[in-house]
Amino acid sequence: VSPEPNAAGWHKSDVTVLFSSPDLTATCTSSVTLSTEPPAIGQVVSGTCTDSAGDQSTNSVTIKLDKTAPTVTVTGVEEGGTYTSTPTVG
């Protein structure tokens, strides 16, 4: 998976999933690039590698993609006023 997710397991940019095998004769599912945020929290990407003997191995990874930056609105402070305590964002 490239790039790596942040500490919370989320990606904020396009993600490429590459499937590979240590067996150089194996053929694997082509890489997949995710660029659209899924409607659900995670999107599962699966791939399969098949060696020359026909043996297969399948693996899956769940990608959490959120490319929409958060917005913050502060209300209750008059123009020119100052906010003297640390606000809590929840």
Side-chain angles (χ1 to χ4, degrees), residues 4-89:
E4 292 290 324
N6 65 20
W10 287 89
H11 297 269
K12 64 178 184 175
S13 63
D14 293 356
V15 178
T16 300
V17 180
L18 174 67
F19 298 95
S20 64
S21 170
D23 182 344
L24 300 179
T25 66
T27 56
C28 300
T29 301
S30 297
S31 63
V32 176
T33 299
L34 303 177
S35 59
T36 305
E37 295 176 34
I41 288 180
Q43 183 171 350
V44 177
V45 179
S46 298
T48 300
C49 291
T50 306
D51 68 12
S52 59
D55 298 318
Q56 292 185 335
S57 178
T58 299
N59 201 351
S60 299
V61 62
T62 300
I63 303 296
K64 296 188 291 185
L65 179 61
D66 184 359
K67 295 170 45 172
T68 306
T71 58
V72 176
T73 303
V74 178
T75 58
V77 178
E78 294 181 20
E79 185 176 337
T82 58
Y83 195 85
T84 58
S85 62
T86 303
T88 301
V89 178

